[in-house]
Amino acid sequence: MTPAADPAVATHLAEVQQRIRAAESRFGREPGSVALLAVSKRQSAGAIRAAQAAGQLAFGENYLQEALAKMADLADLPLEWHFIGEIQSNKTRQIAAHFRWVHGLADAHHAERLSRQRPPGLPPLKACLQINVSGEATKNGVPPEAATALLAACRQLPGLEVVGLMAMPAPAVGEAAQRQPFLALRQLRDRLASPDCPLRELSMGMSDDLEAAIAEGATLVRIGTAIFGARA
Ligand SMILES: *Cc1c(COP(=O)(O)O)cnc(C)c1O
């Protein structure tokens, strides 16, 4: 066990919650309709413990081995773990076993492995399809024109529930420029959604652009630096 340290985490967490609530209000979103995922990659188990003590339950991790070590350290806490890193074939078994969500699903082969490897006792793994909406910061994600085929390949798989779309646009300056790729993701979602696959979740928005993402319909923002400070 690591000690719950750093009272700054609780302060920063409250500030981020306040930013989310303010953006919901400013953009006419339902109060409480935007969930906060605390991105804890390269942060200590102690920092996660501090955030949990302040009420945060959902945490996002990018690196499998690092995440598994922290999960073991924090096994006494009722946390919800989201894998937000790049999925690799040799990692799918442990991702399927240890996480509740994956955000970066961009490959039908990975989806098939996650489906097959999801342990039978667990609820379906929630998945967001990662879309490269416009000049993404990383090369991850499928281009919008490939989304229909990817969704068709993923949605019939047992053990996997496609709940929405995810994007990680290149950093942009100013709210208008930031909103553009988020709008594109929402419009793509609206085109792909159907009554039996409503794709309710839009995983978009980070520390520097969460307001723009909420303006365009984010249901989950992924926030690291603004909660935990700079990464090691
Ligand atoms: C690191 C990371 C974040 C958090 O970024 P911050 O700028 O620290 O808020 C969000 N999403 C993904 C996929 C990340 O890798």
Side-chain angles (χ1 to χ4, degrees):
M1 289 229 323
T2 47
D6 201 355
V9 168
T11 305
H12 294 154
L13 188 61
E15 286 166 2
V16 169
Q17 288 286 9
Q18 184 47 42
R19 278 175 68 188
I20 293 170
R21 302 287 92 88
E24 285 172 346
S25 159
R26 178 175 155 214
F27 297 109
R29 301 285 310 277
E30 191 81 17
S33 60
V34 180
L36 171 59
L37 180 67
V39 174
S40 47
K41 64 170 174 235
R42 299 205 198 105
Q43 304 290 350
S44 68
I48 295 174
R49 208 170 271 285
Q52 187 273 340
Q56 180 66 28
L57 293 179
F59 293 88
E61 291 280 342
N62 295 57
Y63 309 107
L64 181 63
Q65 295 311 321
E66 178 193 329
L68 295 178
K70 283 186 250 183
M71 286 176 188
D73 192 310
L74 299 164
D76 58 309
L77 300 180
L79 305 180
E80 180 180 273
W81 294 98
H82 295 225
F83 190 79
I84 63 170
E86 190 177 344
I87 300 170
Q88 293 166 332
S89 292
N90 63 350
K91 306 274 167 66
T92 54
R93 183 174 300 279
Q94 287 192 296
I95 293 171
H98 294 284
F99 289 83
R100 183 70 184 90
W101 287 58
V102 289
H103 289 245
L105 188 56
D107 182 316
H109 177 64
H110 293 160
E112 186 277 320
R113 290 179 65 91
L114 290 167
S115 164
R116 186 158 38 82
Q117 294 170 338
R118 182 71 168 169
L122 296 181
L125 181 64
K126 295 190 188 202
C128 292
L129 306 184
Q130 185 172 358
I131 313 295
N132 196 326
V133 272
S134 64
E136 306 299 69
T138 68
K139 293 284 175 282
N140 299 333
V142 297
E145 55 273 21
T148 303
L150 180 62
L151 178 61
C154 294
R155 51 174 294 202
Q156 307 302 341
L157 294 171
L160 196 68
E161 179 187 5
V162 182
V163 294
L165 304 182
M166 178 272 211
M168 192 169 166
V173 179
E175 207 168 84
Q178 290 175 347
R179 283 177 67 158
Q180 216 148 9
F182 296 139
L183 170 64
L185 192 72
R186 172 162 57 90
Q187 289 176 330
L188 177 64
R189 188 279 306 277
D190 292 347
R191 288 196 297 277
L192 293 175
S194 60
D196 53 342
C197 189
L199 301 173
R200 285 198 183 83
E201 306 288 347
L202 287 173
S203 168
M204 58 189 198
M206 314 203 310
S207 292
D208 292 331
D209 56 15
L210 73 89
E211 284 83 5
I214 290 171
E216 296 298 350
T219 60
L220 181 153
V221 291
R222 308 179 310 268
I223 309 297
T225 317
I227 297 171
F228 296 111
R231 285 180 276 274

